[in-house]
Amino acid sequence: MGSIYLIRHGQASFGADNYDVLSPIGFQQSEVLGNYLDTLGIYFDRCVSGSLARQQDTARGVLGAMRARPMPTEVDDAFDEFKADEVIRAHLPDLLASEPHALDVFRNAAQHRAEFQRLFTYVIHRWISGEHDKDGLESWASFVARVQGGLERLLERAERKDRIAVFTSGGTITALLQLVIGIAPIKAFELNWQIINTSVSQLKFRDRDVALASFNSHAHLAQTKNPGLITYR
């Protein structure tokens, strides 16, 4: 059987003007994972990344720390994260009717982490329900279809025992969980909130049959005994 390693990007710049930038911790997490995979003797036959900077920089950090032969990272934007800022903006007018302070929370998310998570969860539930689709906004169903297209392209080109690394994001991994194990979107997002930066989830495949082998492994971070490296956004 072949393996697909779904690697979430390192910690990004939560609360900054540009979230799509790895933080210093994000770069450190990437290097730690690369060293760990190298110690285990895990190598990749192919590496694929979404088009986002935080995904590609994570790929460079991980692969740069591995002693295996260098290889190019293919880019497939099917593995990009959904645009959370656009989802928030589209649903904000409805939210403000019951949560008048929501705009301030979203503008100053780093100072209101718990309240941000509560409101963001509410917005995500509206989005994935399919009952509040907005014109011009990628729906949850369209997002899942995009991710499915990326998975199908991986499988079409895969050799029987390939080990494929996919550097991606939490929402994309959530969509893949729904596709692979048939979990309801609302339940998938309960798992989404637990996905740790640079954690590894493994899929096994034989032809077009895909199964989940492991989820959210972060032993590489735990073994450092540095709790500050275990982050969720």
Side-chain angles (χ1 to χ4, degrees):
M1 297 184 75
S3 295
I4 299 172
Y5 296 85
L6 304 174
I7 300 170
R8 189 188 176 198
H9 62 77
Q11 185 190 61
S13 299
F14 180 69
D17 290 339
N18 182 8
Y19 174 71
D20 194 25
V21 177
L22 287 187
S23 71
I25 287 177
F27 283 106
Q28 186 178 356
Q29 291 166 329
S30 303
E31 184 177 356
V32 168
L33 176 57
N35 287 329
Y36 180 76
L37 294 174
D38 198 58
T39 299
L40 294 181
I42 293 177
Y43 63 90
F44 302 123
D45 299 293
R46 286 177 62 199
C47 294
V48 180
S49 171
S51 69
L52 301 177
R54 61 188 183 273
Q55 299 168 339
Q56 295 188 50
D57 285 343
T58 299
R60 279 188 282 269
V62 171
L63 299 176
M66 299 174 71
R67 289 175 295 179
R69 61 181 176 84
M71 67 171 56
T73 299
E74 305 163 34
V75 175
D76 187 338
D77 61 11
F79 298 107
D80 286 3
E81 181 64 284
F82 66 89
K83 295 181 179 179
D85 54 343
E86 293 185 7
V87 173
I88 290 171
R89 281 198 299 269
H91 290 270
L92 185 59
D94 299 328
L95 180 60
L96 287 172
S98 58
E99 302 279 357
H101 65 302
L103 183 58
D104 180 63
V105 170
F106 287 128
R107 283 177 171 171
N108 301 282
Q111 287 74 47
H112 304 284
R113 288 177 177 266
E115 191 66 354
F116 171 87
Q117 183 62 36
R118 183 182 71 84
L119 296 178
F120 186 52
T121 299
Y122 174 78
V123 167
I124 289 297
H125 284 190
R126 286 176 59 89
W127 180 57
I128 66 177
S129 73
E131 298 175 2
H132 308 278
D133 288 350
K134 308 292 185 180
D135 291 340
L137 178 69
E138 183 180 44
S139 67
W140 168 255
S142 295
F143 174 61
V144 173
R146 166 161 66 83
V147 174
Q148 183 174 20
L151 176 61
E152 289 175 353
R153 282 190 290 278
L154 286 182
L155 297 175
E156 284 170 2
R157 292 185 53 194
E159 299 294 336
R160 187 166 60 91
K161 293 186 178 181
D162 271 358
R163 293 184 173 191
I164 305 170
V166 178
F167 294 89
T168 186
S169 297
T172 315
I173 295 170
T174 301
L176 287 163
L177 289 177
Q178 180 184 342
L179 289 166
V180 171
I181 63 179
I183 191 171
I186 196 72
K187 291 296 183 182
F189 260 95
E190 290 178 8
L191 296 176
N192 173 276
W193 308 131
Q194 308 306 315
I195 301 176
I196 290 168
N197 293 117
T198 68
S199 65
V200 182
S201 298
Q202 185 180 6
L203 305 178
K204 289 283 191 178
F205 67 88
R206 179 180 287 115
D207 297 324
R208 293 300 184 93
D209 293 329
V210 184
L212 179 66
S214 65
F215 171 69
N216 200 33
S217 174
H218 55 282
H220 58 290
L221 300 175
Q223 74 169 6
T224 68
K225 299 181 180 179
N226 180 358
L229 289 181
I230 298 177
T231 61
Y232 296 86
R233 66 161 41 95

